[in-house]
């Protein structure tokens, strides 16, 4: 193809800018404002009406077009249509499918009357199962029933059915049983769960008597204390079955009352039909026929709520009766948990009946005398259980009963409870439960009295440090009188510090740390930390207490946000040294960093903070190894970067650079941190330039060169090729802005030299993607920078541009790729801009080629030759694409791009260049792939430019351009 002579169009950028500015037009505001809300009202129209027929109005009473999406719906919201359809279908649901759900919802609603501040039993359940375990073998006295319990045929008479069921209950009482021995704890729990499932299956198959048998048998298991350490967990498992049974009975009766219409939320006896009442009464008669006291108590308590179907005062009368019946249980532990279950059911069905709760608790206090009886002592001796361990078995029951009593209780009730504790000789177990049950505000107000009572307790039965732990929990939530706080801390710590067992010590100390942080200064907190270190260091006891030690750190960070104060504590960093397990140490350091980033508002130069934070960040950095996940690395790097951004030495730029040098050596394994340090140093150089207002002294010039050297040394250590390219370019721009020409040259040369290392594909968010688009973006950015970079006096003309184009020429691009040609097309505007007398932009105090060459003809000739070479390469590529019909779309796109470059930057007064532009236009439209709208707008632009005095020669070009369509 014949060579094309390039001539750049002479540009007057200021004049072009003025022409591009829109003409100012007067604006009448009136009532209209673009941010003023517009109210659109859609009105329903007839089916045959025109779509979108809506009436709209704005607050300014102006006519506003309705939303086209809304108008397509004829004003009807599809979600409202679905809701209406589901509502119309709801009455068609069968009662058999809905009444059970209604009863269940009703029961759940009534169970929520206590409110969110009442801790439900479901939360305590898991804690009890995890706490009270055993390795002893367990047994189950399992009923092995006959087939008598199966449902009778529909033809059986009523009297026969009643007689059969009575015989089945007698069969149960006479004992058709088998004992399962040598069960592990897990096997025992699995067997109880199987019984729970059997209960549901029997109920579903209408074998109600069999279901009752299962419940009775399970209730009997609660009289067995042969493995006494497991009793609280056994209670939890068995009462799950009782709860299931109570729910099934209640739902059945509710369903019977919900036909033909569901019961209202607050139903009365008049709403209950006779069939439901008879069925309900029948259940209570069946339960009354159970001979043994314990199962009769538990099963009747399970269906206590069903009294609502019989009479208004049924629950109110039954609760005191069941409370009195519990007095007949001889074993105090069994009696205590029976009372706990009755209180739980009572709170669910009648939380307002507090008298029965109080009577249960007072009866429980009376049974404490039985603990010293010979029968209990011999049982404990037989099972080798000490009194302190035995007393802890009562804690779940007592805690629950007291929680029920203390819920929304008035403050004088706490005073009464304290007096009863004193009468019992300050029973430690009871006192502990009282402090945990009542509101923290009430306990805090009487903290001094509680401390006196704790001192008088007998430590043999219940350790005093546990009592102080309970008191500390209350004081962490509520504040005692200010005048008593120091005395409270001193008295509590006298006891805590004497605890010899490290685990018991840290469990209690961790609670009181919050009280100390909440009300005292760093001196007291430092003393507490020193005492913890003293207790936990011997025999490396801290290795077994990492969760508690972490909790101590979290509580300190909650109250100390001034890190200058925090790190000035002498024992804080030694306390951190106890976290020697890598994963735990990193987690603690992470929590400290998160609080620092969140609460450190102002940049700091405090050496205390910097040294401590560097120590913490180094611990996080040193945890990184070859097995560390990328997400973990990113997370740690993000925290360290947050710290680096908060370090500022003000005008002491040299100290800031020294810090970055130290940080680079410390965090060399985390690339994002190194990238941030490079950005920080570049920002430091630009801040120096701003302070000096672009005129560097000898000292500041040396400093910004040192910043450039820092970046130049650090960038090669990055593994990401595009990170290196981007930072080389950015650092070169910074060096250029600071008049460091040789450093800028070095950065830009380095960027060009590593272009061949760019892989053809890179990993982006775990997926392989072509690197071509990223490389093109970088090269375009690089080209725009080269406009202001002056040529080196020892190298040839445009040596950086030529070097870049040579690298592009030698780079191995993807097959069937036009990327190389697109780079050539992008280089033409740069070369055209370089040939202008005045450049589009420049850098203050840096002489670009416009000044160095001053429009020298030889320089312009070099530019024109380079442009002609590039155009020749582009045209050769277009010719190759034209040989294959499959590449015609690519050919058209490239031809149109080159046409745009010629139009904007070429001097089309040159006939050959003008003819080339017309040929490119025709080639781009030859196969009809060019976007018609873009073509039309381009023609309109050329016609508009042809009307300007300096571009009137475009008139001839316009006449030769025609739109073509694909046929």
């Amino acid at each position: 193809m014949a060579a094309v002579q390039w001539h750049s169009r002479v540009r007057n950028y200021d004049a072009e800018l003025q022409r591009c500015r829109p003409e100012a037009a007067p604006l009448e505001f009136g009532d209209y404002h673009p941010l003023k809300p517009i109210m659109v009202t859609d009105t329903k129209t007839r089916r045959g009406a025109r779509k979108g027929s809506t009436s709209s109005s704005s607050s300014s009473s102006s006519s506003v077009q309705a939303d086209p999406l809304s108008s397509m719906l004829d004003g009807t919201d599809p979600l409202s249509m679905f809701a209406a359809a589901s509502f119309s279908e709801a009455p068609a649901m069968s009662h058999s499918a809905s009444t059970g759900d209604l009863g269940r919802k009703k029961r759940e609603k009534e169970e929520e009357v206590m409110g969110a501040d009442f801790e439900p039993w479901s939360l305590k359940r898991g804690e009890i199962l995890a706490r009270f375990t055993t390795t002893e073998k367990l047994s189950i006295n399992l009923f092995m029933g006959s087939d008598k319990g199966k449902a009778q045929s529909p033809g059986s008479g009523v009297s026969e059915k009643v007689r059969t069921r009575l015989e089945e209950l007698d069969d149960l009482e006479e004992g058709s049983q088998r004992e399962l021995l040598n069960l592990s704890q897990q096997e025992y729990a699995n067997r109880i769960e199987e019984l729970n499932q059997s209960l549901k299956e029997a109920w579903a198959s209408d074998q109600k008597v069999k279901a009752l048998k299962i419940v009775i048998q399970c209730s009997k298991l609660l009289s067995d204390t042969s493995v006494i350490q497991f009793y609280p967990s056994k209670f939890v498992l068995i009462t799950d079955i009782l709860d299931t049974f109570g729910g099934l009975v209640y739902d059945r009766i509710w369903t019977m009352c919900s036909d033909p219409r569901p019961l209202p939320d607050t139903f009365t006896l008049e709403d209950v039909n006779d069939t439901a009442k008879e069925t309900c009464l029948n259940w209570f008669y069946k339960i009354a026929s159970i001979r043994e006291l314990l199962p009769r108590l538990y099963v009747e308590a399970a269906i206590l709520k069903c009294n609502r179907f019989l009479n208004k005062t049924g629950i109110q009368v039954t609760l005191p009766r069941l409370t009195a019946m519990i007095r007949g249980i001889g074993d105090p532990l069994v009696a205590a948990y029976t009372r706990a279950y009755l209180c739980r059911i009572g709170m669910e069905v009648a939380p307002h009946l507090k008298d029965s709760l109080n009577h249960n608790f007072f009866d429980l206090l009376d049974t404490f005398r039985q603990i010293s009886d010979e029968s209990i002592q011999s049982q404990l001796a037989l099972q080798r259980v000490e009194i302190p361990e035995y007393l802890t078995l009562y804690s779940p029951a007592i805690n629950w009963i007291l929680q029920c009593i203390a819920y929304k209780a008035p403050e004088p009730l706490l005073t009464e409870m304290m007096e009863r504790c004193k009468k019992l000789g300050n029973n430690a177990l009871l006192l502990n439960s009282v402090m945990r049950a009542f509101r923290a505000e009430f306990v805090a107000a009487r903290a001094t009295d509680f401390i006196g009572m704790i001192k008088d307790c007998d430590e043999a039965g219940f350790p005093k440090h546990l009592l102080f732990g309970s008191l500390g929990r209350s004081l962490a939530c509520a504040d005692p009188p200010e005048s008593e706080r120091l005395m409270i801390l001193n008295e509590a710590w006298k006891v805590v510090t004497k605890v010899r067992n490290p685990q018991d010590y840290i469990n209690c100390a961790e609670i009181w740390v919050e009280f100390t942080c909440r009300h005292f200064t760093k001196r007291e907190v430092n003393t507490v930390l020193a005492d913890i270190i003293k207790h936990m260091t011997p025999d490396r006891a801290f290795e077994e207490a990492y969760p508690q030690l972490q909790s101590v750190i979290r509580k300190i960070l909650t109250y100390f946000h001034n890190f200058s104060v925090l790190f000035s504590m002498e024992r804080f960093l030694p306390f951190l040294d106890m976290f020697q397990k890598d994963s735990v140490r990193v987690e603690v350091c992470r929590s400290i960093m998160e609080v620092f980033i969140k609460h450190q508002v102002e940049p700091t130069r405090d050496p205390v903070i910097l040294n401590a934070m560097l120590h913490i960040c180094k611990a996080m950095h040193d945890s990184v190894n070859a097995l560390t996940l990328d997400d973990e690395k990113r997370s740690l790097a993000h925290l360290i970067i947050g710290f680096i951004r908060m370090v500022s030495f003000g005008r002491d730029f040299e100290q800031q650079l020294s810090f970055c040098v130290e940080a680079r050596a410390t965090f060399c394994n985390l690339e994002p941190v190194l990238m941030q340090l490079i950005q920080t140093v570049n920002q430091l150089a630009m801040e120096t330039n701003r302070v000096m207002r672009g005129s560097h002294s000898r000292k500041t010039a040396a400093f910004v060169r040192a910043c450039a050297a820092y970046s130049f040394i650090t960038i090669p250590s990055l593994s990401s090729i595009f990170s290196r390219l981007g930072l080389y370019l950015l650092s070169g721009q910074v060096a250029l802005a600071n008049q460091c020409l040789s450093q800028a040259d070095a950065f830009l040369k380095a960027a060009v030299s590593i272009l061949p290392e760019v892989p053809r594909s890179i990993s982006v968010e775990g997926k392989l993607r072509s690197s071509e688009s990223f490389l093109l973006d970088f090269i375009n950015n690089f080209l725009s920078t080269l406009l202001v970079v002056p040529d080196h006096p020892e190298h040839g003309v445009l040596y950086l541009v030529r070097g870049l184009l040579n690298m592009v020429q030698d780079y191995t691009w993807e097959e069937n790729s036009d990327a190389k040609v697109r780079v050539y097309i992008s280089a033409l505007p740069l070369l055209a801009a370089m040939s202008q007398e005045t450049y589009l932009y420049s850098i203050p105090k840096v002489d670009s080629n416009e000044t160095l060459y001053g429009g020298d003809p030889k320089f312009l000739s070099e530019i024109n030759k380079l442009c002609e070479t590039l155009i020749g390469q582009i045209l050769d590529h277009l010719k190759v694409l034209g040989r294959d019909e499959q590449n015609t779309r690519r050919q058209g796109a490239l031809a149109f791009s080159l046409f745009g470059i010629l139009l904007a930057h070429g001097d089309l007064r040159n006939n050959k260049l003008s003819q080339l532009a017309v040929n490119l236009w025709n080639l781009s439209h030859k196969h009809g792939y060019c976007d018609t709208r873009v073509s039309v707008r381009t023609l309109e632009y050329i016609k508009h430019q042809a009307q300007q005095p300096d571009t009137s020669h475009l008139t001839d070009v316009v006449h030769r351009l025609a739109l073509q369509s694909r046929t």
Side-chain angles (χ1 to χ4, degrees):
M1 185 175 289
V4 176
Q5 292 184 355
W6 173 264
H7 296 278
S8 297
R9 180 164 71 90
V10 178
R11 307 286 293 273
N12 186 339
Y13 295 117
D14 292 335
E16 291 182 22
L17 179 62
Q18 292 296 329
R19 285 202 299 267
C20 290
R21 286 177 177 169
E23 297 181 1
L27 178 63
E28 297 180 1
F29 288 98
D31 291 335
Y32 170 75
H33 190 277
L35 300 182
K36 195 170 185 178
I38 298 175
M39 303 298 295
V40 179
T41 305
D42 291 340
T43 58
K44 294 184 180 180
T45 61
R46 293 179 293 104
R47 284 288 179 188
R50 178 178 57 87
K51 287 185 179 180
S53 177
T54 59
S55 62
S56 57
S57 61
S58 70
S59 53
S60 61
S61 300
S62 60
S63 177
V64 183
Q65 184 177 358
D67 179 11
L69 298 180
S70 299
S71 63
M72 291 297 291
L73 299 172
D74 281 337
T76 305
D77 178 12
L79 299 180
S80 301
M81 293 171 60
F82 292 143
S86 61
F87 179 78
S88 63
E89 293 172 2
M93 294 174 58
S94 62
H95 290 292
S96 60
S98 61
T99 50
D101 291 338
L102 288 172
R104 192 173 299 108
K105 291 178 181 177
K106 173 69 177 175
R107 185 172 71 254
E108 291 173 355
K109 183 176 181 180
E110 291 177 347
E111 288 174 354
E112 293 173 358
V113 295
M114 277 77 79
D117 55 340
F118 184 85
E119 185 179 6
W121 175 258
S122 57
L123 295 182
K124 297 180 178 292
R125 180 184 181 279
E127 179 186 348
I128 295 173
L129 290 174
R131 179 181 174 190
F132 297 96
T133 59
T134 183
T135 57
E136 300 288 333
K137 295 300 181 180
L138 304 168
S139 62
I140 297 179
N141 291 323
L142 182 64
F143 168 70
M144 299 297 293
S146 63
D147 291 338
K148 295 178 181 180
K150 293 183 179 179
Q152 302 295 319
S153 62
S156 302
V158 176
S159 59
E160 182 182 352
K161 186 180 297 185
V162 172
R163 184 168 57 254
T164 302
R165 290 187 174 179
L166 290 175
E167 289 174 356
E168 289 170 351
L169 288 175
D170 289 338
D171 178 53
L172 169 66
E173 295 295 333
E174 291 167 5
S176 161
Q177 303 175 15
R178 187 183 72 185
E179 189 173 20
L180 297 180
L181 302 174
N182 297 324
L183 298 176
S184 66
Q185 178 179 327
Q186 187 59 48
E187 291 171 342
Y188 188 94
N190 293 340
R191 188 57 187 151
I192 295 298
E193 179 58 30
E194 289 176 11
L195 290 173
N196 200 355
Q197 292 300 321
S198 298
L199 168 64
K200 296 176 183 178
E201 292 170 3
W203 190 272
S205 60
D206 203 28
Q207 300 182 60
K208 304 299 188 295
V209 173
K210 181 179 179 180
L212 180 58
K213 288 179 180 181
I214 294 174
V215 175
I216 294 172
Q217 278 299 117
C218 291
S219 302
K220 285 183 178 181
L221 295 177
L222 290 174
S223 62
D224 177 20
T225 57
S226 57
V227 184
I228 202 165
Q229 303 97 319
F230 185 65
Y231 191 83
S233 294
K234 180 196 289 189
F235 170 79
V236 169
L237 295 172
I238 300 299
T239 51
D240 283 348
I241 295 180
L242 289 166
D243 293 341
T244 300
F245 177 74
L248 291 172
V249 173
Y250 186 86
D251 283 348
R252 172 174 167 77
I253 300 173
W254 176 277
T255 304
M256 297 172 69
C257 298
S258 300
D259 193 9
R261 55 185 179 82
L263 281 177
D265 290 342
T266 55
F267 69 89
T268 60
L269 288 178
E270 289 73 17
D271 298 320
V272 182
N273 56 46
D274 293 340
T275 305
K277 289 182 180 179
E278 183 180 354
T279 303
C280 183
L281 197 58
N282 185 34
W283 276 110
F284 281 106
Y285 285 155
K286 289 178 183 177
I287 294 168
S289 66
I290 301 174
R291 297 174 185 174
E292 295 185 27
L293 173 62
L294 192 64
R296 186 165 71 250
L297 267 169
Y298 270 108
V299 179
E300 184 171 357
I303 67 167
L304 180 65
K305 191 176 181 181
C306 295
N307 279 283
R308 293 185 60 196
F309 299 110
L310 296 178
N311 52 66
K312 296 179 180 180
T313 60
I315 296 176
Q316 188 173 354
V317 173
T318 304
L319 276 174
R321 176 173 60 82
L322 295 178
T323 301
M325 288 171 63
I326 297 176
R327 297 170 186 168
I329 299 175
D331 191 310
L333 184 64
V334 176
Y337 277 93
T338 309
R339 291 188 175 93
Y341 184 70
L342 184 60
C343 290
R344 177 157 77 85
I345 298 300
M347 283 296 288
E348 291 177 3
V349 301
H352 59 284
L353 299 178
K354 293 284 189 178
D355 289 341
S356 64
L357 298 175
N358 294 336
H359 286 307
N360 270 293
F361 181 69
F362 298 149
D363 286 350
L364 177 61
L365 297 183
D366 293 336
T367 61
F368 272 115
R369 302 187 186 93
Q370 294 178 258
I371 295 177
S372 57
D373 288 352
E374 183 178 350
S375 60
I376 300 298
Q377 294 295 327
S378 60
Q379 183 184 12
L380 297 180
L382 182 64
Q383 299 192 39
R384 298 177 182 177
V385 176
E386 300 293 334
I387 285 293
E389 182 182 0
Y390 176 68
L391 289 176
T392 59
L393 300 177
Y394 284 85
S395 58
I398 297 177
N399 290 342
W400 177 258
I401 295 173
L402 274 172
Q403 178 184 331
C404 297
I405 293 174
Y407 182 66
K408 293 185 178 180
E411 193 169 356
L413 182 60
L414 176 57
T415 306
E416 180 183 352
M417 290 297 175
M418 294 173 67
E419 292 299 325
R420 287 184 174 271
C421 288
K422 291 177 182 178
K423 290 180 181 178
L424 287 174
N426 289 330
N427 182 284
L429 177 64
L430 178 59
L431 186 60
N432 183 66
S433 297
V434 169
M435 287 189 291
R436 297 186 64 173
F438 280 85
R439 289 175 58 185
E441 295 83 357
F442 297 167
V443 176
R446 296 167 174 76
T448 306
D449 296 335
F450 275 111
I451 289 177
M453 295 174 67
I454 292 173
K455 287 182 178 180
D456 296 337
C457 284
D458 181 12
E459 195 165 7
F462 200 90
K464 289 184 180 179
H465 70 269
L466 295 179
L467 297 175
F468 274 104
S470 297
L471 179 60
R473 288 188 185 92
S474 296
L475 297 182
C477 302
D479 300 335
E482 186 174 355
S483 59
E484 301 176 3
R485 292 172 186 172
L486 184 58
M487 185 274 293
I488 291 172
L489 179 60
N490 289 334
E491 292 295 333
W493 208 258
K494 286 178 185 177
V495 175
V496 174
T497 194
K498 292 179 181 178
V499 179
R500 295 184 178 181
N501 184 287
Q503 197 64 40
D504 292 340
Y505 167 82
I506 192 61
N507 285 337
C508 192
E510 174 243 334
I511 297 171
W512 282 91
V513 163
E514 183 164 5
F515 177 77
T516 310
C517 295
R518 188 183 180 102
H519 300 295
F520 298 96
T521 63
K522 70 172 186 178
R523 185 172 70 87
E524 289 80 7
V525 176
N526 190 61
T527 303
V528 170
L529 292 180
D531 194 61
I532 294 176
I533 295 173
K534 176 183 175 182
H535 279 78
M536 303 306 295
T537 302
D539 300 325
R540 300 178 67 86
F542 54 80
E543 292 182 345
E544 304 297 327
Y546 283 140
Q548 293 87 346
L549 296 176
Q550 286 178 268
S551 177
V552 170
I553 290 292
R554 284 194 297 269
K555 290 174 180 177
I556 293 175
L557 294 174
T558 301
Y559 293 96
F560 285 85
H561 296 156
N562 187 333
F563 281 81
S564 180
V565 173
L566 180 65
F567 291 131
S568 64
M569 296 183 197
E570 296 179 2
R571 311 311 297 172
F572 185 76
L573 290 180
F575 185 87
L576 293 182
D577 291 338
M578 288 196 294
F579 297 98
Q580 296 188 10
K581 187 178 179 181
D582 287 345
S583 60
V584 178
R585 181 171 66 250
V586 171
E587 189 175 345
V588 171
C589 292
R590 185 197 296 273
S591 64
I592 295 173
M593 291 302 305
E594 288 172 350
V595 175
F596 176 81
I597 293 172
K598 180 178 180 181
H599 295 283
Q600 187 70 27
V601 179
E602 297 294 331
T604 181
R605 60 184 299 174
D606 188 333
V608 175
I609 295 179
L610 297 186
N611 290 333
M613 295 305 291
L614 277 173
H615 174 76
I616 291 170
C617 291
K618 186 176 187 301
M620 293 194 300
H621 169 270
D622 293 347
S623 68
V624 175
N625 53 44
L627 300 178
T628 305
L629 299 175
D630 289 341
D631 286 346
E632 179 72 8
K633 290 181 181 179
R634 278 193 293 269
S635 176
L636 295 178
H638 174 73
L639 294 174
I640 296 175
I641 289 171
F643 160 62
I644 292 173
R645 287 174 175 169
M646 294 307 299
V647 177
S648 174
F649 290 88
R651 290 290 183 90
D652 192 350
F653 296 149
E654 293 182 351
Q655 186 66 29
Q656 185 87 28
L657 182 59
S658 299
F659 169 79
C660 291
V661 171
E662 181 183 358
R664 179 179 61 187
T666 305
F667 310 124
C668 57
N669 290 331
L670 291 174
E671 279 201 12
V673 179
L674 294 179
M675 293 169 61
Q676 176 61 39
L677 289 172
I678 295 169
Q679 297 277 23
T680 301
V681 171
N682 284 334
Q683 186 178 0
L684 190 60
M686 293 307 298
E687 182 66 14
T688 306
N689 183 67
R690 185 188 66 80
V691 171
M692 299 302 295
R693 297 181 180 178
S695 300
H696 284 295
S697 64
R698 179 177 299 178
K699 183 178 180 180
T700 58
F703 176 76
V704 294
R705 286 197 293 271
C707 291
Y710 177 98
S711 300
F712 194 78
I713 293 171
T714 310
I715 292 173
S717 62
L718 303 177
S719 62
S720 171
I721 182 68
F722 282 103
S723 297
R724 278 185 280 157
L725 286 172
L727 289 173
Y728 271 136
L729 178 58
L730 178 64
S731 301
Q733 292 168 345
V734 171
L736 204 60
N738 284 281
Q739 302 108 50
C740 301
L741 301 184
S742 59
Q743 285 77 11
D745 265 356
F747 280 118
L748 298 178
K749 283 181 187 177
V752 172
S753 66
I754 65 172
L755 279 178
E757 300 177 18
V758 176
R760 294 174 63 175
S761 60
I762 58 173
S763 177
V764 179
E765 297 181 353
K767 298 180 180 179
L768 281 180
R769 288 183 55 186
S770 172
S771 62
E772 198 170 271
S773 60
F774 299 97
L775 184 56
L776 287 177
D777 288 343
F778 168 77
I779 291 176
N780 288 333
N781 194 359
F782 192 88
L783 289 171
S784 65
T785 303
L786 291 182
L787 176 64
V788 294
V789 178
D791 281 344
H792 196 283
E794 298 180 1
H795 298 84
V797 178
L798 304 177
Y799 77 102
L800 279 176
V801 178
R802 295 180 186 275
L804 175 64
L805 294 176
N806 288 336
M807 285 295 180
V808 170
Q809 176 73 28
D810 297 337
Y811 182 77
T812 306
W813 299 93
E814 295 182 11
E815 295 182 6
N816 299 321
S817 170
D818 301 323
K820 180 170 67 174
V821 175
R822 291 193 177 278
V823 173
Y824 292 161
I825 294 175
S826 299
L828 291 175
L830 167 66
L831 296 171
M834 282 182 166
S835 64
Q836 305 301 316
E837 291 185 4
T838 303
Y839 284 0
L840 180 59
Y841 48 85
S842 61
I843 295 178
K845 301 185 183 301
V846 174
D847 291 333
S848 301
N849 287 337
E850 60 176 333
T851 305
L852 295 180
Y853 292 107
D856 186 88
K858 292 182 180 180
F859 175 66
L860 297 179
S861 175
E862 289 292 331
I863 291 177
N864 292 338
K865 287 179 181 179
L866 189 54
C867 290
E868 291 165 6
T869 302
L870 293 178
I871 292 176
Q873 294 280 348
I874 298 169
L875 295 178
D876 288 341
H877 184 73
L878 291 176
K879 186 176 180 181
V880 172
L881 292 179
R883 296 171 183 169
D884 190 346
E885 291 185 1
Q886 295 181 353
N887 297 326
T888 53
R889 181 185 292 272
R890 292 166 52 197
Q891 183 191 47
L894 289 175
F896 195 78
S897 297
L898 182 56
F899 169 78
I901 296 297
L902 296 179
L903 180 64
H905 302 283
D907 187 358
L908 297 187
R909 287 175 296 188
N910 181 282
N911 292 333
K912 290 186 178 181
L913 210 56
S914 174
Q915 184 59 45
L916 175 61
V918 173
N919 292 342
L920 289 171
W921 173 274
N922 294 332
L923 180 61
S924 64
H925 291 75
K926 180 178 180 180
H927 300 283
Y929 288 120
C930 195
D931 189 339
T932 305
R933 289 175 296 178
V934 175
S935 301
V936 170
R937 292 177 62 184
T938 303
L939 278 177
E940 291 175 354
Y941 168 77
I942 298 174
K943 291 177 182 178
H944 174 74
Q945 290 296 103
Q947 297 174 4
Q948 304 299 327
D950 54 343
T951 54
S952 57
H953 59 278
L954 293 179
T955 305
D956 179 57
V957 176
V958 172
H959 294 317
R960 297 160 64 189
L961 300 181
L963 291 176
Q964 298 180 19
S965 59
R966 186 176 183 181
T967 57

